[in-house]
């Protein structure tokens, strides 16, 4: 599969769609007093924000032993912090992340005014990530591929590819009925579902034919093999749910902590994110 990178028009759009910092809310976070505050220190209990990326396809990489590794390439496009959730106001700490600039003509006026009040540019996709209180970032902060480090593990969430209405053999791996004499036109049937006198009904949750795919899927503890800051690419070992050019959510693996999550040579990780100054 060929690797699809940013086109010239997309790169130009990135330059033209710089975040607006005209609102009072954004000005408060970009003030010198906020930047002068002491930088937070990463601990094993800290929870960094995730990001939104686009799946660009799969390719191959080879390790030092010459083994071929399947790799999924993800690309970050104009990812910024668009809003903040605080315990005082919302009851929990989280960041709303936006990705990929969107044309003003394709956005309703109320939503356009909402983004203007926040002081950020319009975004095509937004998602919310819960973070610890020490990992809150100012509105308008840009997140790049350098937010992740080579060798760490991440969880990726995305809608799986929808396959339409499927039978029990494709959906649930049923064996089907015997393919022998006497079986007519029912080789791929699911068999009896309601039994006889008892229970004379189909129980809820019974494995039957129906819609396959198109649901949110999370693949946990995938390893980051490479990070390309110039093209904002993250190379993930293994497969990622969804089709090419689809939005996916990436965050640090929740089942791993400390040195199991990040390699020793990368400790401490970029926190709350990479410093661009």
């Amino acid at each position: 599969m060929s690797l699809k990178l940013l086109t010239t028009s997309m790169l130009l759009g990135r330059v033209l769609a710089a975040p607006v910092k005209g609102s009072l809310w954004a000005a408060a976070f970009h003030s010198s007093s906020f930047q002068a505050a002491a930088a937070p220190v990463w601990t094993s209990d800290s929870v960094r924000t995730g990001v939104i990326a686009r799946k660009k396809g799969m390719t191959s990489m080879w390790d030092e032993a010459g083994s071929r590794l399947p790799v999924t390439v993800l690309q970050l496009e104009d990812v910024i912090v668009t809003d903040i959730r605080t315990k005082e106001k919302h009851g929990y700490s989280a960041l709303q992340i936006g990705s990929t600039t969107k044309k003003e003509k394709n956005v309703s006026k109320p939503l356009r005014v909402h983004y203007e009040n926040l002081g950020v540019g319009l975004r095509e996709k937004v998602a919310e990530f819960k973070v610890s209180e020490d990992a809150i970032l100012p509105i308008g902060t840009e997140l790049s591929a350098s937010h992740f480090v080579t060798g760490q593990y991440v969880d990726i969430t995305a809608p799986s590819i929808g396959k339409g209405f499927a039978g029990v053999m494709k959906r649930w791996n049923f064996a089907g009925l015997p393919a022998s004499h006497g079986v007519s036109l029912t080789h791929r049937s699911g068999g009896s579902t309601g039994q006889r006198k008892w229970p004379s009904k189909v129980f809820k949750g019974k494995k039957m034919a129906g819609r396959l795919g198109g649901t949110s899927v999370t693949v946990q503890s995938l390893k980051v093999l490479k990070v390309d800051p110039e093209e904002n690419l993250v190379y993930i070992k293994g497969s990622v749910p969804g089709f090419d050019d689809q939005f996916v959510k990436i965050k640090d693996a929740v089942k791993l902590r400390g040195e199991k999550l990040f390699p020793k040579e990368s400790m401490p990780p970029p926190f709350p994110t990479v410093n661009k100054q």
Side-chain angles (χ1 to χ4, degrees):
M1 179 181 297
S2 59
L3 177 62
K4 297 181 287 186
L5 300 177
L6 286 172
T7 61
T8 304
S9 59
M10 295 172 67
L11 290 171
L12 181 60
R14 171 179 296 183
V15 177
L16 297 178
V20 182
K21 302 179 182 177
S23 69
L24 296 177
W25 179 253
F29 282 100
H30 289 280
S31 63
S32 57
S33 60
F34 185 87
Q35 295 177 356
V41 179
W42 182 85
T43 64
S44 59
D45 295 327
S46 299
V47 180
R48 305 192 309 160
T49 183
V51 301
I52 305 173
R54 304 190 87 154
K55 179 179 176 181
K56 292 299 179 179
M58 295 194 69
T59 182
S60 299
M61 293 181 64
W62 284 261
D63 60 10
E64 297 178 355
S67 299
R68 178 181 175 274
L69 303 176
V71 176
T72 302
V73 183
L74 306 178
Q75 188 171 46
L76 281 66
E77 295 179 351
D78 304 316
V79 181
I80 63 171
V81 178
T82 57
D83 206 351
I84 298 177
R85 305 285 185 261
T86 60
K87 285 189 175 181
E88 293 76 12
K89 185 176 181 180
H90 304 92
Y92 64 99
S93 298
L95 294 177
Q96 185 187 85
I97 307 298
S99 172
T100 308
T101 57
K102 193 172 185 179
K103 293 183 179 179
E104 186 174 341
K105 67 176 183 178
N106 297 330
V107 180
S108 62
K109 185 176 180 180
L111 189 60
R112 186 167 63 250
V113 173
H114 172 70
Y115 276 95
E116 290 176 356
N117 292 335
L118 291 174
V120 296
L122 301 175
R123 288 299 182 270
E124 184 174 342
K125 178 71 174 180
V126 294
E128 194 173 282
F129 297 92
K130 288 188 176 182
V131 299
S132 54
E133 293 186 2
D134 57 348
I136 293 180
L137 293 167
I139 293 179
T141 302
E142 183 181 355
L143 298 171
S144 65
S146 300
H147 181 73
F148 301 99
V149 297
T150 302
Q152 79 161 99
Y153 292 87
V154 295
D155 295 342
I156 299 182
T157 302
S160 60
I161 297 177
K163 299 182 181 298
F165 193 95
V168 293
M169 293 183 68
K170 182 175 181 178
R171 193 183 187 197
W172 302 111
N173 296 320
F174 279 18
L177 298 186
S180 61
H181 295 291
V183 180
S184 301
L185 305 179
T186 55
H187 302 85
R188 300 181 66 86
S189 170
S192 176
T193 57
Q195 290 75 48
R196 298 178 68 181
K197 184 175 182 179
W198 187 90
S200 299
K201 66 176 182 180
V202 178
F203 288 107
K204 291 184 178 180
K206 176 69 175 177
K207 293 182 179 179
M208 300 177 66
R211 292 282 297 275
L212 176 61
T215 57
S216 181
V217 176
T218 299
V219 181
Q220 295 184 312
S221 301
L222 296 177
K223 188 175 184 179
V224 177
L225 295 181
K226 181 182 176 182
V227 175
D228 185 353
E230 294 184 0
E231 296 292 344
N232 259 352
L233 298 176
V234 181
Y235 295 76
I236 306 295
K237 181 181 178 181
S239 60
V240 171
F243 50 85
D244 290 354
D245 216 34
Q246 174 177 279
F247 288 105
V248 301
K249 295 186 288 186
I250 320 173
K251 64 179 182 179
D252 297 338
V254 298
K255 290 185 176 179
L256 302 175
R257 286 289 183 269
E259 294 182 356
K260 294 183 179 180
L261 174 60
F262 299 98
K264 293 182 179 180
E265 59 272 14
S266 299
M267 299 289 286
F271 186 78
T273 188
V274 61
N275 186 6
K276 293 184 176 296
Q277 296 181 355

